[in-house]
Amino acid sequence: MKELALLANRLDTLIMRIGQITSWLIFILVLLVAGDVLFRYFFHISSIAEQEFQWHLLAAIAIFGSAYTFQQGEHVRVDLFYHSYSKNVKRWMNILIPLIIILPFSAFIIYLSTDYVLQSYVNNEVSPDPGGLPYRYLVKGLIPLGFSLIFIQGLAVLLKAITKTESEL
C-alpha cells in the first residue's frame, strides 16, 4: 500500500508541476494579445500566424490546466452535494468515479484522438488561412496529451482513495 501511496504522490507532483508551467503560458498569452493589440491599432500591422498561435496557446492552457484543476478539486462536479457527504461516501466516490467515468473516458478519447493527430501529421496539415501556422498536428496533439494528464490525475485520485486508512478519513 505504501508503494501505491508513493506513486499517487509522484503523479500528483507531476500534474502540479505541469499546472505551474501552464500558469506561465497565461502570462505569455497576455503579452502576445497585448502586443497584437498595440501593433494592430498603433502601427496597423497584424499577423495571422500570431493570432493562430494565441489560439493554440489558449488550447494548451485549457487542456493542461484541466488536469491541474481536477487535482486541486476546483473542477465542476456533477454532484452539488459532495461537500456535505461523509468522508466514507467521498472515499467511495473517489474510487468509483475514476474507475467508471474518468479513466475509461480518458482512455477512449486518447484512443480516438491519436488517429486524428496521426492523420494530420501524415497529411502535413497546415492552416487554411494564408499566412497561418504550419504543423497543425502539433495543436491537435494537445488532445491526447491533455487527456493523458487527466488519466494520470484520475489514477492518482483513485490510488489516494484506495490507500487511505480509516484514521485518514
Side-chain angles (χ1 to χ4, degrees):
M1 284 296 205
K2 287 183 182 180
E3 293 84 16
L4 292 178
L6 181 63
L7 177 60
N9 287 336
R10 286 185 178 165
L11 295 176
D12 263 348
T13 300
L14 171 69
I15 297 299
M16 186 172 24
R17 288 199 176 132
I18 290 172
Q20 291 166 344
I21 292 168
T22 301
S23 70
W24 283 100
L25 293 178
I26 296 169
F27 178 69
I28 293 168
L29 179 62
V30 168
L31 291 178
L32 283 172
V33 171
D36 184 41
V37 169
L38 288 173
F39 276 96
R40 190 177 320 150
Y41 289 105
F42 290 114
F43 303 110
H44 304 291
I45 300 170
S46 183
S47 167
I48 298 295
E50 182 194 2
Q51 291 173 9
E52 284 187 3
F53 184 66
Q54 292 171 16
W55 282 102
H56 293 190
L57 208 53
L58 182 62
I61 291 166
I63 287 175
F64 294 148
S66 62
Y68 179 73
T69 302
F70 177 32
Q71 178 196 56
Q72 299 299 311
E74 298 296 326
H75 58 291
V76 176
R77 293 188 190 271
V78 174
D79 189 285
L80 299 174
F81 305 106
Y82 180 85
H83 67 279
S84 64
Y85 290 154
S86 71
K87 290 181 180 183
N88 198 35
V89 171
K90 287 180 183 179
R91 177 183 183 189
W92 278 106
M93 287 182 73
N94 288 340
I95 290 172
L96 293 175
I97 290 174
L99 273 177
I100 295 171
I101 299 171
I102 296 168
L103 297 177
F105 180 75
S106 295
F108 183 64
I109 296 297
I110 293 165
Y111 170 75
L112 289 179
S113 63
T114 301
D115 189 43
Y116 176 66
V117 174
L118 289 175
Q119 183 180 12
S120 179
Y121 176 76
V122 167
N123 293 333
N124 198 23
E125 186 178 1
V126 298
S127 171
D129 297 322
L133 294 175
Y135 315 121
R136 182 61 59 103
Y137 61 88
L138 292 175
V139 73
K140 289 182 177 185
L142 294 173
I143 299 168
L145 183 59
F147 277 93
S148 295
L149 295 174
I150 292 171
F151 185 93
I152 289 168
Q153 186 56 45
L155 186 60
V157 168
L158 174 65
L159 293 175
K160 283 193 288 187
I162 289 171
T163 58
K164 282 191 178 183
T165 63
E166 287 296 321
S167 63
E168 294 174 319
L169 293 176

